[in-house]
Amino acid sequence: MRLDKFLAEASVGTRKIVRAYVKEGKVTVNDQVAAEPSMEIDPNADTIKYLGKEVVHTGKVYYMFHKPARCITARKDAKSKTVLDYFDLVNTNGLFPVGRLDKDTEGLLFLTNDGHFNHQLMCPEKHVEKKYFFLAFGTLDSKDKKQLETGICIGEDESLTKPAKIEVVKEGMYHEMKDEMDIGECINKKKNLYEQSVVSGYLTISEGRKHQVKRMLRAVGCYVVYLKRVSIGGVMLDESLKKGQYRVVTEKEIQKLLEK
Ligand code: URA
């Protein structure tokens, strides 16, 4: 096995980071400073140390996380809490989020140290479906739904979105649905919300453009005030996970996600 692969899988850092560690002379193999990240090692026979501490190979790890709002999908942030701040693991060095959710979006996020798993879920050619629940100001008539289903323009220099699935759950006036809509400060900025139309539903997309769900709904006149990812590739967010909690992804779920 390559030394850089071993280190990355042991959660010492990403492939790029561990290569740099090797170049900086921070890694030893059987007490000899390793010269090349690509050198072959035997995980069962060789002793690998990073900064003098033995590296134990943990293998690949996969977590399902219920991302709360106000949490950044990044490994580090100067101001806000990141997804990794919710993990009480001893070593999160190699762990990274698969894709990203906006700061105010809640719901399903996978974290792993497996680059292949990340690629399988994120690569546009794989068309992995991501399903979102939304609450929005506005209405969705059959023409809007058709546009969302067939493809819609969400940016000047962008191609039309790929076909999506839209399912309206509830339509009504804000005052009828306000208990379901925690819109916080928004209410102060806009007057006359009380009599405005609101709609809730599910939008399923197979791409991952920036703010895609919000922009798609915006393109048909809907302003999203709440967004939650409920499933990826047919794997549902485990509703027993409270916001900010995580659990290991089961073997069956991994197989389902890698099916394509
Ligand atoms: N689409 C969005 O607009 N935001 C997200 O966080 C995810 C998808």
Side-chain angles (χ1 to χ4, degrees), residues 101-102 105 132 211-214 227:
L101 290 174
D102 296 338
T105 303
Y132 295 84
H211 311 312
Q212 183 162 348
V213 171
K214 291 174 190 160
L227 193 60

Side-chain angles (χ1 to χ4, degrees), residues 2-237:
R2 281 174 61 119
L3 176 61
D4 53 0
K5 187 167 189 281
F6 172 88
L7 291 166
E9 285 185 9
S11 299
V12 173
T14 60
R15 277 275 187 122
K16 196 172 159 198
I17 288 169
V18 300
R19 277 187 203 128
Y21 289 164
V22 175
K23 297 277 180 198
E24 290 160 14
K26 293 177 176 168
V27 178
T28 57
V29 177
N30 301 327
D31 294 323
Q32 301 290 312
V33 173
E36 279 303 322
S38 62
M39 77 177 278
E40 285 295 317
I41 55 117
D42 178 349
N44 298 317
D46 295 325
T47 305
I48 318 298
K49 289 184 185 167
Y50 166 64
L51 293 177
K53 279 197 196 145
E54 188 168 349
V55 177
V56 181
H57 193 286
T58 50
K60 292 175 185 158
V61 289
Y62 309 88
Y63 295 104
M64 173 187 283
F65 176 55
H66 187 164
K67 180 193 170 298
R70 293 180 289 280
C71 149
I72 309 265
T73 312
R75 289 177 49 83
K76 264 192 214 150
D77 191 84
K79 289 189 206 138
S80 305
K81 232 174 155 171
T82 73
V83 290
L84 283 187
D85 291 326
Y86 289 85
F87 281 73
D88 51 9
L89 305 169
V90 177
N91 194 352
T92 56
N93 277 347
L95 208 60
F96 60 86
V98 177
R100 69 182 303 280
L101 290 174
D102 296 338
K103 189 175 179 183
D104 57 355
T105 303
E106 297 180 353
L108 177 59
L109 188 70
F110 292 115
L111 287 99
T112 186
N113 58 358
D114 182 357
H116 174 70
F117 180 80
N118 179 58
H119 179 75
Q120 292 296 109
L121 295 194
M122 296 312 296
C123 164
E125 287 77 44
K126 303 280 176 192
H127 305 295
V128 175
E129 288 191 337
K130 292 136 202 140
K131 185 171 180 179
Y132 295 84
F133 173 76
F134 64 87
L135 278 164
F137 282 105
T139 54
L140 284 172
D141 62 18
S142 50
K143 194 166 144 256
D144 299 326
K145 288 189 222 166
K146 191 100 209 140
Q147 270 197 291
L148 292 168
E149 279 164 358
T150 49
I152 191 163
C153 176
I154 57 170
E156 256 181 30
D157 298 322
E158 289 185 46
S159 54
L160 293 187
T161 56
K162 297 249 157 54
K165 293 176 194 157
I166 177 79
E167 184 192 329
V168 169
V169 173
K170 221 164 158 186
E171 284 172 299
M173 305 304 278
Y174 172 68
H175 65 83
E176 292 163 349
M177 284 163 75
K178 70 178 185 344
D179 293 341
E180 296 160 50
M181 298 181 77
D182 176 16
I183 59 169
E185 291 168 16
C186 177
I187 191 98
N188 301 325
K189 290 187 197 138
K190 296 185 173 188
K191 299 257 183 302
N192 309 325
L193 282 184
Y194 212 66
E195 289 303 323
Q196 280 203 20
S197 303
V198 290
V199 55
S200 70
Y202 293 96
L203 185 63
T204 305
I205 58 174
S206 57
E207 300 168 279
R209 303 191 208 174
K210 208 167 181 206
H211 311 312
Q212 183 162 348
V213 171
K214 291 174 190 160
R215 287 160 70 208
M216 284 176 77
L217 287 164
R218 195 82 176 135
V220 288
C222 290
Y223 179 81
V224 172
V225 291
Y226 175 78
L227 193 60
K228 176 180 181 178
R229 183 153 65 193
V230 294
S231 75
I232 298 177
V235 173
M236 305 283 295
L237 172 68

Side-chain angles (χ1 to χ4, degrees), residues 240-251:
S240 72
L241 290 177
K242 297 200 180 82
K243 289 175 200 175
Q245 288 185 333
Y246 64 91
R247 70 153 167 83
V248 169
V249 182
T250 65
E251 199 54 49

